[in-house]
mmCIF file of all heavy atoms in Angstrom:
data_model
loop_
_atom_site.group_PDB
_atom_site.id
_atom_site.type_symbol
_atom_site.label_atom_id
_atom_site.label_comp_id
_atom_site.label_asym_id
_atom_site.label_seq_id
_atom_site.Cartn_x
_atom_site.Cartn_y
_atom_site.Cartn_z
ATOM 1 N N PRO D 82 12.684 161.440 -106.118
ATOM 2 C CA PRO D 82 11.722 160.713 -107.069
ATOM 3 C C PRO D 82 10.398 160.784 -106.420
ATOM 4 O O PRO D 82 10.123 161.080 -105.220
ATOM 5 C CB PRO D 82 12.278 159.274 -107.134
ATOM 6 C CG PRO D 82 12.969 159.092 -105.798
ATOM 7 C CD PRO D 82 13.589 160.411 -105.420
ATOM 8 N N SER D 83 9.298 160.386 -107.232
ATOM 9 C CA SER D 83 8.009 160.480 -106.669
ATOM 10 C C SER D 83 7.527 159.132 -105.955
ATOM 11 O O SER D 83 8.164 158.037 -106.227
ATOM 12 C CB SER D 83 6.958 160.708 -107.845
ATOM 13 O OG SER D 83 6.857 159.555 -108.661
ATOM 14 N N ALA D 84 6.556 159.195 -105.139
ATOM 15 C CA ALA D 84 6.073 158.065 -104.355
ATOM 16 C C ALA D 84 5.461 157.039 -105.491
ATOM 17 O O ALA D 84 5.619 155.912 -105.306
ATOM 18 C CB ALA D 84 5.029 158.443 -103.417
ATOM 19 N N GLU D 85 4.829 157.609 -106.449
ATOM 20 C CA GLU D 85 4.256 156.729 -107.519
ATOM 21 C C GLU D 85 5.333 155.876 -108.175
ATOM 22 O O GLU D 85 5.152 154.729 -108.525
ATOM 23 C CB GLU D 85 3.452 157.536 -108.493
ATOM 24 C CG GLU D 85 2.193 158.109 -107.973
ATOM 25 C CD GLU D 85 2.396 159.306 -107.046
ATOM 26 O OE1 GLU D 85 3.542 159.891 -107.098
ATOM 27 O OE2 GLU D 85 1.501 159.720 -106.375
ATOM 28 N N GLN D 86 6.513 156.489 -108.475
ATOM 29 C CA GLN D 86 7.584 155.734 -109.154
ATOM 30 C C GLN D 86 8.127 154.663 -108.230
ATOM 31 O O GLN D 86 8.353 153.507 -108.641
ATOM 32 C CB GLN D 86 8.672 156.752 -109.600
ATOM 33 C CG GLN D 86 8.311 157.632 -110.706
ATOM 34 C CD GLN D 86 9.206 158.826 -110.856
ATOM 35 O OE1 GLN D 86 9.819 159.298 -109.962
ATOM 36 N NE2 GLN D 86 9.344 159.273 -112.127
ATOM 37 N N ILE D 87 8.295 154.981 -106.937
ATOM 38 C CA ILE D 87 8.758 153.982 -106.002
ATOM 39 C C ILE D 87 7.733 152.844 -105.885
ATOM 40 O O ILE D 87 8.222 151.653 -105.843
ATOM 41 C CB ILE D 87 8.979 154.717 -104.648
ATOM 42 C CG1 ILE D 87 10.041 155.799 -104.661
ATOM 43 C CG2 ILE D 87 9.341 153.651 -103.536
ATOM 44 C CD1 ILE D 87 9.989 156.679 -103.506
ATOM 45 N N PHE D 88 6.523 153.101 -105.869
ATOM 46 C CA PHE D 88 5.476 152.083 -105.834
ATOM 47 C C PHE D 88 5.465 151.230 -107.077
ATOM 48 O O PHE D 88 5.444 149.975 -106.953
ATOM 49 C CB PHE D 88 4.145 152.745 -105.621
ATOM 50 C CG PHE D 88 2.988 151.814 -105.626
ATOM 51 C CD1 PHE D 88 2.896 150.762 -104.753
ATOM 52 C CD2 PHE D 88 1.916 151.921 -106.580
ATOM 53 C CE1 PHE D 88 1.830 149.825 -104.727
ATOM 54 C CE2 PHE D 88 0.836 151.057 -106.563
ATOM 55 C CZ PHE D 88 0.804 150.047 -105.652
ATOM 56 N N GLU D 89 5.626 151.796 -108.266
ATOM 57 C CA GLU D 89 5.690 150.994 -109.518
ATOM 58 C C GLU D 89 6.841 150.047 -109.501
ATOM 59 O O GLU D 89 6.730 148.913 -109.831
ATOM 60 C CB GLU D 89 5.665 151.896 -110.659
ATOM 61 C CG GLU D 89 4.403 152.625 -110.973
ATOM 62 C CD GLU D 89 3.194 151.702 -111.145
ATOM 63 O OE1 GLU D 89 3.398 150.698 -111.833
ATOM 64 O OE2 GLU D 89 2.138 152.017 -110.691
ATOM 65 N N ILE D 90 8.017 150.474 -109.036
ATOM 66 C CA ILE D 90 9.198 149.681 -108.932
ATOM 67 C C ILE D 90 9.026 148.591 -107.956
ATOM 68 O O ILE D 90 9.347 147.436 -108.148
ATOM 69 C CB ILE D 90 10.437 150.559 -108.528
ATOM 70 C CG1 ILE D 90 10.716 151.523 -109.658
ATOM 71 C CG2 ILE D 90 11.617 149.684 -108.208
ATOM 72 C CD1 ILE D 90 11.840 152.625 -109.207
ATOM 73 N N SER D 91 8.346 148.942 -106.840
ATOM 74 C CA SER D 91 8.062 147.881 -105.809
ATOM 75 C C SER D 91 7.247 146.759 -106.318
ATOM 76 O O SER D 91 7.599 145.571 -106.077
ATOM 77 C CB SER D 91 7.335 148.592 -104.613
ATOM 78 O OG SER D 91 8.057 149.593 -103.994
ATOM 79 N N LYS D 92 6.214 147.037 -107.078
ATOM 80 C CA LYS D 92 5.407 146.027 -107.710
ATOM 81 C C LYS D 92 6.223 145.223 -108.733
ATOM 82 O O LYS D 92 6.061 143.987 -108.798
ATOM 83 C CB LYS D 92 4.198 146.570 -108.403
ATOM 84 C CG LYS D 92 3.197 147.201 -107.393
ATOM 85 C CD LYS D 92 1.856 147.573 -108.176
ATOM 86 C CE LYS D 92 2.100 148.764 -109.100
ATOM 87 N NZ LYS D 92 0.844 149.211 -109.728
ATOM 88 N N GLU D 93 7.077 145.811 -109.434
ATOM 89 C CA GLU D 93 7.936 145.150 -110.480
ATOM 90 C C GLU D 93 8.931 144.151 -109.812
ATOM 91 O O GLU D 93 9.074 143.069 -110.404
ATOM 92 C CB GLU D 93 8.529 146.126 -111.387
ATOM 93 C CG GLU D 93 9.550 145.547 -112.329
ATOM 94 C CD GLU D 93 8.820 144.727 -113.404
ATOM 95 O OE1 GLU D 93 7.616 144.877 -113.632
ATOM 96 O OE2 GLU D 93 9.457 143.926 -114.160
ATOM 97 N N VAL D 94 9.613 144.616 -108.810
ATOM 98 C CA VAL D 94 10.746 143.741 -108.329
ATOM 99 C C VAL D 94 10.304 142.889 -107.134
ATOM 100 O O VAL D 94 11.174 142.132 -106.612
ATOM 101 C CB VAL D 94 11.894 144.696 -107.842
ATOM 102 C CG1 VAL D 94 12.355 145.532 -108.992
ATOM 103 C CG2 VAL D 94 11.569 145.516 -106.661
ATOM 104 N N ASN D 95 9.056 142.981 -106.704
ATOM 105 C CA ASN D 95 8.609 142.099 -105.573
ATOM 106 C C ASN D 95 8.739 140.677 -105.932
ATOM 107 O O ASN D 95 8.147 140.210 -106.891
ATOM 108 C CB ASN D 95 7.098 142.493 -105.272
ATOM 109 C CG ASN D 95 6.530 141.695 -104.093
ATOM 110 O OD1 ASN D 95 7.311 141.275 -103.231
ATOM 111 N ND2 ASN D 95 5.324 141.448 -104.188
ATOM 112 N N ASN D 96 9.571 139.944 -105.130
ATOM 113 C CA ASN D 96 9.723 138.541 -105.295
ATOM 114 C C ASN D 96 8.988 137.645 -104.379
ATOM 115 O O ASN D 96 9.146 136.428 -104.367
ATOM 116 C CB ASN D 96 11.357 138.214 -105.126
ATOM 117 C CG ASN D 96 12.148 138.896 -106.219
ATOM 118 O OD1 ASN D 96 11.810 138.680 -107.443
ATOM 119 N ND2 ASN D 96 13.127 139.569 -105.856
ATOM 120 N N GLY D 97 8.240 138.358 -103.490
ATOM 121 C CA GLY D 97 7.488 137.596 -102.515
ATOM 122 C C GLY D 97 8.145 137.573 -101.127
ATOM 123 O O GLY D 97 7.445 137.063 -100.180
ATOM 124 N N GLY D 98 9.347 137.987 -100.967
ATOM 125 C CA GLY D 98 9.993 137.981 -99.702
ATOM 126 C C GLY D 98 9.911 139.224 -98.882
ATOM 127 O O GLY D 98 10.456 139.360 -97.860
ATOM 128 N N GLY D 99 9.238 140.278 -99.500
ATOM 129 C CA GLY D 99 9.145 141.619 -98.868
ATOM 130 C C GLY D 99 10.106 142.545 -99.474
ATOM 131 O O GLY D 99 11.005 142.148 -100.294
ATOM 132 N N ILE D 100 10.034 143.850 -99.131
ATOM 133 C CA ILE D 100 10.885 144.839 -99.704
ATOM 134 C C ILE D 100 11.471 145.724 -98.695
ATOM 135 O O ILE D 100 10.803 146.169 -97.696
ATOM 136 C CB ILE D 100 9.964 145.740 -100.738
ATOM 137 C CG1 ILE D 100 9.567 144.875 -101.953
ATOM 138 C CG2 ILE D 100 10.856 146.934 -101.231
ATOM 139 C CD1 ILE D 100 8.610 145.578 -102.848
ATOM 140 N N LEU D 101 12.794 145.968 -98.816
ATOM 141 C CA LEU D 101 13.406 146.910 -97.999
ATOM 142 C C LEU D 101 13.681 148.186 -98.712
ATOM 143 O O LEU D 101 14.415 148.154 -99.828
ATOM 144 C CB LEU D 101 14.862 146.293 -97.495
ATOM 145 C CG LEU D 101 15.593 147.342 -96.607
ATOM 146 C CD1 LEU D 101 14.917 147.551 -95.324
ATOM 147 C CD2 LEU D 101 17.069 146.750 -96.354
ATOM 148 N N TYR D 102 13.294 149.291 -98.210
ATOM 149 C CA TYR D 102 13.543 150.679 -98.717
ATOM 150 C C TYR D 102 14.793 151.167 -97.988
ATOM 151 O O TYR D 102 14.836 151.293 -96.824
ATOM 152 C CB TYR D 102 12.400 151.607 -98.526
ATOM 153 C CG TYR D 102 11.144 151.289 -99.335
ATOM 154 C CD1 TYR D 102 9.887 151.700 -98.821
ATOM 155 C CD2 TYR D 102 11.219 150.689 -100.616
ATOM 156 C CE1 TYR D 102 8.768 151.514 -99.631
ATOM 157 C CE2 TYR D 102 10.075 150.458 -101.337
ATOM 158 C CZ TYR D 102 8.848 150.840 -100.837
ATOM 159 O OH TYR D 102 7.742 150.639 -101.567
ATOM 160 N N LEU D 103 15.865 151.402 -98.753
ATOM 161 C CA LEU D 103 17.078 151.839 -98.221
ATOM 162 C C LEU D 103 17.659 153.062 -98.966
ATOM 163 O O LEU D 103 18.008 152.994 -100.189
ATOM 164 C CB LEU D 103 18.199 150.683 -98.300
ATOM 165 C CG LEU D 103 19.596 150.908 -97.903
ATOM 166 C CD1 LEU D 103 19.749 151.637 -96.565
ATOM 167 C CD2 LEU D 103 20.461 149.633 -98.007
#
Side-chain angles (χ1 to χ4, degrees):
S83 72
E85 290 75 14
Q86 289 165 332
I87 299 165
F88 177 55
E89 290 301 322
I90 294 169
S91 301
K92 291 189 293 182
E93 174 67 19
V94 305
N95 180 29
N96 293 310
I100 293 174
L101 178 65
Y102 291 153
L103 172 51

